[in-house]
Every structure is written in structure tokens, then in C-alpha cells.
Amino acid sequence: MERIPLPFTQFVVKVHSRCDLACDHCYVYEHADTSWRARPKVIGDEVLAGAAGRVGEHAATHRLTAVRVVLHGGEPLLAGPDRLRRAAEAFRSALPPGCALDLRIHTNGVLLDRTFCELFDEVGAKVGISLDGDRAANDRHRRYADGRSSHPQVLRAVGLLREPGFRHLFAGLLCTVDVENDPVAVYRALAELEPPAVDFLLPHATWEQPPKRPAAGGETPYAEWLLNVYAQWEADGRPFAVRTFDSVHRTLRGLSSLTESLGLEPADVVVLETDGSYEQADSLKTSFDGAPATGMDVFTHDLDQVARHPGMAQRQSGLAGLSADCRSCPVVRACGGGLYAHRYRADAHGGSFDHPSVYCGDLMALIKGIAGRGGPDPAPRVPAQAAEPVLVPALTGRQLGELARGHGGADTVGALARSQLALTRAMLAAVWDSSGLRDSAAWDLLSALDATAPAALDTVLGHPYVRAWAARRLAGDPAAGLAPLAELAAAAAVRAGCDATLPVPVRGGALHLPTLGRFMAGDGVARVTGRADGFTVRTAGGDVVTVTGQDTAGGRWQPVRRIRFADGWTVALEDTDPQRDSHHWPVEGRLPDPELQSWTGALREAWELVGRDLPAYAAGVRAGLTTITPLRAGPSGRDVSAAARQAFGAVGIARPATAPILGLLLAHEFQHVKLGAVLDLVDLYDPSDTALYHAPWRPDPRPIEGLLQGTYAHLAVTEFWGTRTLAYDGLPGETADHTRAQFALWRRYTAEAVERLAGSGSLTALGLRFADGMRESVRPWLEAGLPAAAERTAERARRQATPARPVTPG
């Protein structure tokens, strides 16, 4: 079966192939590749049109909702304002309807002036600037050819981007690490500029051209340098994003990385040179002359052909594409083998990338150092052989306040996720203690992995339906057997690259590995052996099948499919786990490829809409939603969605007809997910209250928790309609009228529900503060002016016997 390539979503476009600085650590001009010498200095109109056309074609083919185009060099500002304007216009006009352009430019900053900033404001381009720290640090490498300092010009450029009129253009700073520079001085110099983000980049190197390692710097000087920066960044309260540190935090929790330098996420970037040729990642120029070449160009090859290039395929192959040493490493899920270019080493066949990174020791020390210093605040461990009391991580007052308003940023939702993982661990220990078993190979393996591969185990235990099963088991559900213990242990062993062999019961003809997928194994008990590059299954019928990489084993292996979005976020589309039937609606079976493609396109479009219409909710969704379970459509085409109280991180949805409905369902259901986690940590109401309360949108009375859950979910509904109403401000048409009427209806419903909660007499002191936060979010929407016709339509809806549902956006 031919590999289906991952679509590209990021395009680095070289608009100028020369530079006005002579940085001695530059991978373009100072390393092994010399192809720049033969290329045109400036990208021509024909090449620009061809490149834009190919990107637009690719976006249409794969139904992309957003692409990122980075104008690069050399030094892109040397191309001049007119050429840069034409580039922006070419790419924007080539994209299909519904596909947004995230336009960036990366510059050394020395030519940046007000004219360029006004242009970038006009065309919507964000600007990243290279700066290695204070003057002494920056001048170590970033100088003019005659030795002059570039530091004053770069500070002037950053100063322009800090002006109120241009601040929104400032994407951040890129700093190449030099271990001879003082890390604290570098950090302070960058922090004083108040950047929105900083990327700390390891200098490009290979095993043939290794990085410098001062004699007094220890065995891992780059890790120590970065950990010193990390300590300052943590002490300052993480004042700006740092992609390296944020990626380590995320990968230690089993989430996707934000950079190609870490994690196992497949690369989705391609480079277009000034002559129209496609290249792989620019960093490969440091390996050997011609390393990034593909032999393809925009005139004769489409981007799907480029995606099938062996080099591209290798960079998209995840764990299977790493060396044996990397696959057996305990931090491989976080490290990902490091940057592909940094693995190059000459050998008897000329050279290969089948090696650990030349920064292997530094990456190991950095990841362990961040984890050891608290990092993402991993959940407390439950002792392997006893369910001792567990201290669940608490929310701060600020975090609870964010959540009360309906929102919650990445750190707040991350705190909820950590608390849920701690509770899952406690429940798992309780399941074991109540099982009556005295001996279990599965439990022994779980205990061993807790000590040797805790990140792999946490990734599996963080799967939403693990806790759903444990809750049913502890509640005495006779259908909730103990088979999942073996399934969890086997899945964690596979993720850890552990070579343990474990008997796993086959249920419904399938061997289930939570977070990974299912193997159609017939009946009986199968034996699973973990491998560094996958796993082997020995069925009761005597079959022995090894699964590695993207193998499907003739269709018997059905992996969990993951959808990756343009911003790097990934979510699992779960259609294999038998525990997913936790949402009180029938689930869909395994999605056929056409339906999978429809889901992929719809989710990408919906996520783009959530980011646009619900930005205060999007960061929390991105941090906490890991799993979407397809449900069967409701009766008469009714939109169906649900969140399970015991399945943090998952929502169930029947794919609706339009992307706006899907976006609203995602936000609406994730509100239930967040509030359920909050209620596990704090008491917002008196649990002994047995009274029933009417919600304005339902004909039947609800318990106090039901009213609270509905009100909280409808904060997102109200804000959704409110932001869409603003977008349609002044526009005629049925869609605009429907949107205004929905906003009028839901702001009134939600405001009434908040007051009903506050007046119930059942809320605790914290619950009253929570209600105040919800009231604070609704108040501005109540003050927004609407046409009288919209108010009349809303009033008619209120009088209907069956109130309007919150899932019908236009």
C-alpha cells in the first residue's frame, strides 16, 4: 500500500539568496552546502507565481484551512518592498476560499525601517528577528563582513516593532546558543525587549563538524546553558513563550511538540528556493553539499510528489525513522532524536542520518533537567502496590478566576489535566486493590514502567477512557472487567520501546492497545511483545505479526488516526477503543477513508473558526482536548455531541453538516470537560441539595449540577454568537439575521441561568465567586446593541414548546 504523505502546511520561500551580514555560524553560507552560489539573487515573478500556485493547489487538494508562508533568505529585506508586496499578494490570492494565510518574514533586522513595517502591517505579515543577546553576545557571530557590529541596527528594528502601531507584527526573537556567552546575560538582554516569544536554537552541527565544547563546560554544556536560561525564565513567571521549553513540557505530557527539533511529530515544512526548486529543511545544508536537494521544482512537480521524496518520508516517519539507539532511549518521545540534520555522520556508504543527534547527551540532560525541576508539574505518583492517599495538584486563585469566566489558558487547563492524571492513577490503584488478584504480570509491568518509563505510562494513563473504565469498574459494573489492565500495560510497553512480552485478552475479535489502536486477532489471548520500533503479536491461532512504523499488517492493524492542524496541535480521532462508548450516544465504527478525509477537512476548518471566533477558549481547548470520538448521527439529522464526566480530554460528536456547527460543538462540549475537572478539585455547590431547577433552554427541571454544567457550557455558546454578530455588523442577509437572533437568545438564556444559580442558595462561597465570574463574562454581551428584529425573533423562540438548541449556528 502506498504511503499517503502528510500534507505540507508550512512553506519557507527564499525571496533573496544573499545576505548583508557575514555571520560565521550561518548554515547557508558557512557550512557544507554551496548551492546558493548558482541561484538567482532574487526570486523572479515566474517562480513566485509558480510557487504560489503550487501552494494554493496543495491547500485545495488537502482542504487545508490555513498555511504558513515564511519569506526567508539570505536576507529577505534585500528583495525590497515591491517584491515582498508581490509575494504576499501572490500567495494570498492563490489560496482557495476558506484557507487562511499565516504570513511571516524572518530577518536579521538591519534594514527594517518604518516603510517595511507599514508594508507588513498592510499585508498582514508577522516579523521574527535574529538576535543572540546583548552586544557582546551578538557581536560574537552576527557582524558585517568588515567586522562592524550589527547590534545597534537590530535594536533599532526591535524598537520599531515594540511601538504600539507595530507591536502586533512582532512574532519574536531567534537566538542561536553560544556556550561561551553568559546565559543569564543573554536571557536578560532578550527579556528586556519584551518579545512575545524567543526561540533558543542549537548551532547547526553534525558528527563530522561537531559543535564546540569548551574544556571547562562539562559533558553537556548546551544543556547546562539552556537550563540556566530555563531557571531564569521560570523565576520570572515564564514572561514569554520559549518553543524549546514549551515543547519539552508538552512532549513529557504526551502532547505534540511545537518544533521539528524535538518530539516525534512528522515534519510538514518544505523550502522553495529562488530558482523554483524544492528543498528539504534548510538545516540540512549543514550536513553535506546538496543534502537538502529533491531534484524537483515548482514548474514540473506538485507538492504531493515532493512529500513522497524519500528524504521527506524519512522526516515524517516518527519513531520508526530513528536509529536503534534512539528507539530504545527513555526520553525518545520528548527528544524525537533531535533535529534530523544533527544526526548526520559519514560512514562506509558515504554518510547517513541513522544516528543519534550530535547533541544527544545535551538533549537528554535538558529534558531530564526540565522534568526534574518541575517542568510540566507531572502528576503525583501512586505507589505500585498500594492505593495510598494522593495529593491532587490544586488550582491557584488566578486559574480558578479564569475558569469562572468560562476561559482558561494553556497553563490553567494544563493544571486540570495534571489533576485528572493524578486521580486516574489513584483510581487505577484502587481497581487493583479491589481486584482480589495476588499476582498479575500486567500489574507488575505497569509498576516497572512507572519507575523506568513514567512518561510513556502517563501518556497511556492520560487517555480519557482509562478513567472512564476505572470509574465503571469501581462502581461495580459487571461489564467492566480487568482486561484493560493488560491492555494498558502492553500499550505503555510499546510506547516505551520495552521488549517485555505480555498476554493480553482479545475482546470482540480485537487486541486493544489504548492510545495506539487495535489489532484484529481472532479469539483467545494474544501475546504482545514490545519492540524499539513497534510490537509483535502472537495470536491464539499461531500467527506471528510484527507491526512497525505505518504498517497496517494487511489491514489487521488499525492505528488511532491523528489529525494535525496548521499550528502544530494534534488530536486523536478515536474509533477503535471499546471504552469510548462513555458518552450516552452510540459511537461510530471504524471510519472508512472517505469519511476520515471529511472529518479531517471539517475539523481543520472548524479549528480555524474556533481560533477566530473564540480566541479566549481556543488556548484551553488546544491544551486539554486530546481525543474526538465520532458518534452516530442523531434522529432526523439532529446534531449530537456529548462529554463524559469521567473522560477528561475527550468529546464525542456526530459530524455535523457545517464547520461552524462543529467548531461550536467542540467549544461547547469542552466547557463540560473543564467544569467536570474543576468539580473534582473544589466544591461549588452543596451535594446534599436534591432540588430541581429549570434551565431556560430546557423544558425539564435539572439538579443543581446540571444547571451549573449547562450554564457554563453556554458561556461559550453566547460568546460564539457574539463574536459572529460583530463579524456580521452592518451586513444584510439571512445568515447575519440568524446570527443576531441566536446571540439575542443565548445571551438572555445564559444571563438568566447565572442569576438562577446565584439565587439557588445551594452554591458554596467558591460557587458564588464562580457565578460572579460567569456574570462578568455575560455582562458585556448584554450591553451590546442589537436590531429590534433580532430581539423579536429571540422572544418567539423562547415561547416555543421546544426551545432552540445551542448547536445550530448558521
Side-chain angles (χ1 to χ4, degrees), residues 18-22 74-75 77-78 108 110-111 143-145 148:
R18 303 296 189 271
C19 190
D20 45 3
L21 292 183
E75 171 48 48
L77 298 188
L78 288 173
N108 59 36
V110 299
L111 293 179
R143 297 183 300 271
Y144 289 95
R148 286 180 297 131

Side-chain angles (χ1 to χ4, degrees), residues 482-539:
L482 288 172
L485 277 179
E487 295 168 352
L488 294 172
V494 171
R495 284 192 167 277
C498 172
D499 62 359
T501 297
L502 186 70
V504 180
V506 175
R507 296 189 290 154
L511 165 75
H512 297 280
L513 297 177
T515 74
L516 296 173
R518 68 184 178 195
F519 184 88
M520 307 312 293
D523 296 309
V525 175
R527 300 186 69 81
V528 180
T529 303
R531 296 162 49 103
D533 57 351
F535 61 95
T536 297
V537 178
R538 291 170 173 80
T539 70

Side-chain angles (χ1 to χ4, degrees), residues 36 118 140 152 160 165 193 206 212 278 308 327 362 432 472 497 589 612 620 649 687 698 730 747 753 766 773 782 791:
W36 62 272
E118 290 169 351
R140 192 182 293 276
L160 270 174
L193 300 177
T206 68
K212 65 180 178 183
Y278 296 111
R308 292 185 173 90
R327 293 196 301 269
D362 291 283
W432 169 250
R472 289 200 295 267
R612 185 194 72 187
R698 294 181 67 111
R747 69 179 183 176
L766 274 180
L782 292 174
E791 297 286 8

Side-chain angles (χ1 to χ4, degrees), residues 287-621:
S287 305
F288 57 87
D289 200 7
T294 65
M296 304 183 198
D297 61 62
V298 299
F299 304 112
T300 53
H301 303 90
D302 62 40
L303 283 158
D304 275 359
Q305 290 174 286
V306 180
R308 292 185 173 90
H309 183 276
M312 293 292 189
Q314 184 73 7
R315 290 169 53 234
Q316 293 186 353
S317 57
L319 185 65
L322 301 183
S323 68
D325 288 343
C326 288
R327 293 196 301 269
S328 62
C329 177
V331 301
V332 66
R333 296 280 167 183
C335 168
L339 193 68
Y340 186 70
H342 296 171
R343 307 173 201 165
Y344 179 74
R345 189 170 205 160
D347 55 30
H349 304 289
S352 77
F353 297 90
D354 188 28
H355 304 281
S357 167
V358 72
Y359 289 105
C360 178
D362 291 283
L363 293 172
M364 171 82 79
L366 175 65
I367 292 165
K368 289 187 172 181
I370 289 177
R373 297 185 189 198
D377 301 327
R381 301 282 163 204
V382 176
Q385 301 299 332
E388 296 180 0
V390 177
L391 291 177
V392 177
L395 295 169
T396 66
R398 175 188 63 80
Q399 291 170 333
L400 191 62
E402 281 184 20
L403 291 163
R405 292 189 295 275
H407 305 149
D411 68 322
T412 298
V413 176
L416 292 179
R418 293 189 291 276
S419 72
Q420 292 290 293
L421 180 58
L423 288 171
T424 298
R425 282 177 156 271
M427 293 171 71
L428 191 65
V431 166
W432 169 250
D433 281 353
S434 64
S435 68
L437 298 177
R438 295 184 178 180
D439 186 28
S440 167
W443 188 257
D444 290 345
L445 181 56
L446 285 169
S447 301
L449 292 171
D450 196 16
T452 60
L457 181 59
D458 280 351
T459 298
V460 174
L461 298 187
H463 181 47
Y465 300 118
V466 174
R467 179 171 165 187
W469 158 73
R472 289 200 295 267
R473 174 75 188 180
L474 292 173
D477 183 350
L482 288 172
L485 277 179
E487 295 168 352
L488 294 172
V494 171
R495 284 192 167 277
C498 172
D499 62 359
T501 297
L502 186 70
V504 180
V506 175
R507 296 189 290 154
L511 165 75
H512 297 280
L513 297 177
T515 74
L516 296 173
R518 68 184 178 195
F519 184 88
M520 307 312 293
D523 296 309
V525 175
R527 300 186 69 81
V528 180
T529 303
R531 296 162 49 103
D533 57 351
F535 61 95
T536 297
V537 178
R538 291 170 173 80
T539 70
D543 292 343
V544 179
V545 182
T546 297
V547 178
T548 60
Q550 299 184 16
D551 295 345
T552 63
R556 298 179 71 180
W557 172 239
Q558 298 176 353
V560 173
R561 275 87 69 100
R562 288 179 169 79
I563 297 175
R564 181 172 181 172
F565 301 93
D567 59 3
W569 178 45
T570 56
V571 66
L573 202 61
E574 179 59 81
D575 57 5
T576 63
D577 192 332
Q579 309 296 339
R580 71 189 189 280
D581 61 348
S582 304
H583 296 287
H584 306 296
W585 285 100
V587 298
E588 282 282 16
R590 181 69 169 177
L591 299 180
D593 286 344
E595 180 64 7
L596 173 64
Q597 292 169 6
S598 295
W599 264 104
T600 300
L603 280 170
R604 284 175 173 159
E605 185 177 353
W607 181 240
E608 182 71 19
L609 292 171
V610 170
R612 185 194 72 187
D613 293 339
L614 292 170
Y617 292 81
V621 173

Side-chain angles (χ1 to χ4, degrees), residues 8 260 264-270 279-281 284 310-318 340 343:
F8 296 115
E260 189 181 353
L264 293 171
E265 291 296 308
D268 63 350
V269 61
V270 65
E279 289 204 337
Q280 302 175 62
L284 287 170
M312 293 292 189
Q314 184 73 7
R315 290 169 53 234
Q316 293 186 353
S317 57
Y340 186 70
R343 307 173 201 165

Side-chain angles (χ1 to χ4, degrees), residues 22-361:
C23 307
D24 60 15
H25 57 12
C26 179
Y27 58 87
V28 176
Y29 308 110
E30 301 294 335
H31 285 222
D33 189 74
T34 60
S35 59
W36 62 272
R37 299 179 186 275
R39 290 203 166 101
K41 290 184 178 180
V42 184
I43 192 169
D45 288 342
E46 186 180 6
V47 172
L48 194 54
R54 291 299 189 187
V55 171
E57 172 188 63
H58 194 66
T61 298
H62 294 279
R63 298 179 62 185
L64 301 180
T65 58
V67 298
R68 173 172 292 183
V69 173
V70 183
L71 304 180
H72 211 284
E75 171 48 48
L77 298 188
L78 288 173
D82 291 342
R83 179 72 54 180
L84 295 177
R85 181 191 303 278
R86 290 204 294 277
E89 292 172 347
F91 283 101
R92 197 174 299 280
S93 63
L95 294 179
C99 183
L101 175 63
D102 178 5
L103 185 62
R104 307 283 173 126
I105 187 163
H106 180 68
T107 171
N108 59 36
V110 299
L111 293 179
L112 189 71
D113 58 15
R114 198 166 297 276
T115 298
F116 276 119
C117 287
E118 290 169 351
L119 168 65
F120 298 147
D121 187 26
E122 178 186 340
V123 301
K126 291 186 177 294
V127 184
I129 291 187
S130 295
L131 178 65
D132 287 351
D134 55 15
R135 179 162 185 158
N138 200 67
D139 285 355
R140 192 182 293 276
H141 301 288
R142 298 189 184 276
R143 297 183 300 271
Y144 289 95
D146 61 5
R148 286 180 297 131
S149 170
S150 66
H151 192 255
Q153 289 88 342
V154 181
L155 289 190
R156 175 188 50 77
V158 175
L160 270 174
L161 293 175
R162 294 177 67 191
E163 291 183 6
F166 298 136
R167 179 75 190 182
H168 63 287
L169 304 177
F170 194 8
L173 301 172
L174 278 80
C175 172
T176 300
V177 173
D178 188 313
V179 292
E180 293 183 0
N181 291 330
D182 181 344
V184 176
V186 167
Y187 169 81
R188 291 293 176 210
L190 300 179
E192 286 172 4
L193 300 177
E194 299 179 313
V198 174
D199 266 0
F200 290 101
L201 308 177
L202 293 172
H204 287 315
T206 68
W207 289 100
E208 303 311 304
Q209 296 291 328
K212 65 180 178 183
R213 297 187 179 276
E219 295 183 357
T220 56
Y222 292 90
E224 292 306 313
W225 196 96
L226 286 168
L227 287 171
N228 277 321
V229 171
Y230 180 82
Q232 295 297 316
W233 181 67
E234 281 283 327
D236 288 352
R238 304 183 185 180
F240 44 78
V242 177
R243 230 173 16 154
T244 298
F245 301 155
D246 290 338
S247 292
V248 173
H249 290 168
R250 289 176 59 82
T251 53
L252 285 173
R253 291 169 47 206
L255 301 176
S256 58
S257 174
L258 303 175
T259 171
E260 189 181 353
S261 301
L262 293 165
L264 293 171
E265 291 296 308
D268 63 350
V269 61
V270 65
V271 179
L272 297 101
E273 290 285 356
T274 56
D275 61 357
S277 59
Y278 296 111
E279 289 204 337
Q280 302 175 62
D282 252 8
S283 56
L284 287 170
K285 294 180 184 294
T286 199
S287 305
F288 57 87
D289 200 7
T294 65
M296 304 183 198
D297 61 62
V298 299
F299 304 112
T300 53
H301 303 90
D302 62 40
L303 283 158
D304 275 359
Q305 290 174 286
V306 180
R308 292 185 173 90
H309 183 276
M312 293 292 189
Q314 184 73 7
R315 290 169 53 234
Q316 293 186 353
S317 57
L319 185 65
L322 301 183
S323 68
D325 288 343
C326 288
R327 293 196 301 269
S328 62
C329 177
V331 301
V332 66
R333 296 280 167 183
C335 168
L339 193 68
Y340 186 70
H342 296 171
R343 307 173 201 165
Y344 179 74
R345 189 170 205 160
D347 55 30
H349 304 289
S352 77
F353 297 90
D354 188 28
H355 304 281
S357 167
V358 72
Y359 289 105
C360 178

